[in-house]
Amino acid sequence: MHDPLSDAIGPPDVYVRGAPSPPPTQRLEGPRHAEVVVIGAGFTGLSAALHLAEAGVDVAVLEAKEIGWGASGRAFGQVVPYLKLGHEAILRHYGPARGQRIVDAVADGPDLVFELIGRHGIECWAMRSGLIFAAHSPSGRRDLESRTRYWQQRGAPVEMLEGARCAEAIGSRLYRAASLDRRGGNINPFAYARGLGRAVVAAGARICTQTHVQGLARRDGRWAIDVGGAGVTADNVVIATNAYTGDLWSGLRASIIPMRGHGFVSEPLSDNVQHTILPERQSLTDTRQLYSGVRMLPDGRLHASAHGASFGAEPKPDWRRVDARIRRLYPQLGRVRWQQGWSGWVAMTTDHFPRLHELAPGLFAGLGYNGRGIAAATMMGRDLATLARGACDDATVFPLSPLRPLHWHRIAPMLIRGLVQAYRVSDTVDDLRLRATA
Ligand SMILES: Cc1cc2nc3c(=O)[nH]c(=O)nc-3n(C[C@H](O)[C@H](O)[C@H](O)COP(=O)(O)OP(=O)(O)OC[C@H]3O[C@@H](n4cnc5c(N)ncnc54)[C@H](O)[C@@H]3O)c2cc1C
């Protein structure tokens, strides 16, 4: 399998240009000890480190590349109050008590993200104008109506948009109905990661970049962390490497399926069309199986996510697919000049739920957000900090679960390519029907 850490291209320029400068980081030199070592400086690791440092714990974050280099610096940027599956599936999977706690906490996930952004003054294009989920098929519409009803009964600012209101909010006549959820919002995710990094350092923790952890061993009641040459010891360790997980701990990599997600930005659109698209600057996704995000960036660029190669080495951007989709959605744009394409890795799980593990005494891991990790990974980081301070999982949102490596992990790309192909066919059929009725 391709090692995600071997990708050559980092987070996209458009995000890097819009981000604050990184905090001072260090190289690990000589033997060191920290109460907690966090491995990985994405949202999970940075949130864990921030919550620990703010509680007065001595923390060191070790990152193989740079702050936000992984999925966190490449995400589409939607801060969602949902996991991949909805409230009914969560209640079924976790049972009524734990399930309800998770549904409620996930719904509050954007509050956590925007509160951290506000409290630490993170400049990251934060805009909480909501998220639009459009119905791409009759069954997609039924799902959205049921979800909207559920949240309306709980007093949440979620509504259905129909007909002309739907067309106006999206700037396109392609969809007949959509759900507008005002709890969510949009950010520059790389800037959020850097801002969290600055907050971590300001709270007194150390971040060591270009520090690839190569092994972990329990010695004399402490964890010995091997970073090749220099070493560090810790009372507790948090593994926050998500889809970029390597062979640090037996079975962890094989418990998730890393898949590539792709992003594309255009050159700035002309003034006269910019304002016709998502005029209130929500982002748009729809109910199809394969992801499909569109949003406008503050400088007038169109940002889209589209499906592409799911596995293997970094592909060239597939402009054709994204261009065809945008032309169907926004015919008023004419020819769009695409400027940059990139990809990053998301960690999928077989049941679509994230995982929180205690792998050994004092060794914790949180991962598997299935492409919905801006809020969920920030929450998971808080959970990991809670566990690393000695609490049990009664105090966390997600429950601890045993590590379950997938025995078919090696052939996962082959199996999933088949599944993705089937999704592509069913999405295309739905798309043709949608265009016929638009
Ligand atoms: C294209 C794309 C679009 C997405 N869009 C959205 C979206 O719109 N909304 C949303 O909620 N989620 C989205 N996601 C998902 C979200 O980005 C992730 O769930 C989230 O960033 C995971 O954060 P993380 O900190 O767990 O992992 P990462 O950000 O991937 O961080 C893991 C870090 O661990 C480091 N690492 C790995 N191994 C080692 C080692 N041995 N030693 C030291 N460091 C190591 C890596 O370098 C990396 O920086 C998207 C993801 C992608 C790829």
Side-chain angles (χ1 to χ4, degrees), residues 360-401:
L363 176 62
F364 305 98
L367 71 173
Y369 310 107
N370 293 271
R372 310 286 191 288
I374 298 180
T378 308
M379 282 167 46
M380 183 67 88
R382 187 180 57 186
D383 274 1
L384 288 159
T386 303
L387 294 177
R389 292 180 64 207
C392 68
D393 73 343
D394 283 351
T396 58
V397 172
F398 297 105
L400 283 167
S401 62

Side-chain angles (χ1 to χ4, degrees), residues 3 5 15 38-47 62-80 82 185-186 189 193 208 210-215 227 239-248 259-263 283 285 291 295 303 305 342-347 366-378 380:
D3 174 9
L5 273 183
Y15 283 171
V38 174
I39 305 171
F43 303 140
T44 306
L46 293 168
S47 166
L62 310 182
E63 163 58 50
K65 307 276 187 172
E66 301 295 334
I67 292 169
W69 184 87
S72 299
R74 304 160 195 246
F76 178 62
Q78 282 195 113
V79 187
V80 291
Y82 302 111
N186 281 279
C208 304
Q210 302 297 334
T211 304
H212 187 174
V213 177
Q214 291 166 15
V227 290
I239 300 181
T241 50
N242 202 39
Y244 293 77
T245 299
D247 294 323
L248 273 184
M259 287 180 71
R260 269 193 199 280
H262 301 261
S283 57
T285 47
Y291 50 77
R295 64 173 178 161
H303 177 190
S305 62
W342 67 91
S343 67
W345 292 85
V346 299
L367 71 173
Y369 310 107
N370 293 271
R372 310 286 191 288
I374 298 180
T378 308
M380 183 67 88

Side-chain angles (χ1 to χ4, degrees), residues 333-369:
L333 288 183
R335 180 164 166 258
V336 175
R337 282 201 288 271
W338 295 102
Q339 195 169 52
Q340 197 183 6
W342 67 91
S343 67
W345 292 85
V346 299
M348 306 300 288
T349 55
T350 46
D351 55 16
H352 299 311
F353 292 113
R355 304 280 190 262
L356 175 62
H357 300 302
E358 180 164 11
L359 300 166
L363 176 62
F364 305 98
L367 71 173
Y369 310 107

Side-chain angles (χ1 to χ4, degrees), residues 35-37 216-225 233-239 249 357-365 384 387-391 400 403:
E35 283 175 74
V36 180
V37 158
L216 289 169
R218 188 92 176 142
R219 259 182 236 133
D220 306 326
R222 286 178 163 187
W223 287 99
I225 297 124
T233 57
D235 303 324
N236 292 300
V237 173
V238 166
I239 300 181
W249 192 256
H357 300 302
E358 180 164 11
L359 300 166
L363 176 62
F364 305 98
L384 288 159
L387 294 177
R389 292 180 64 207
L400 283 167
L403 181 64

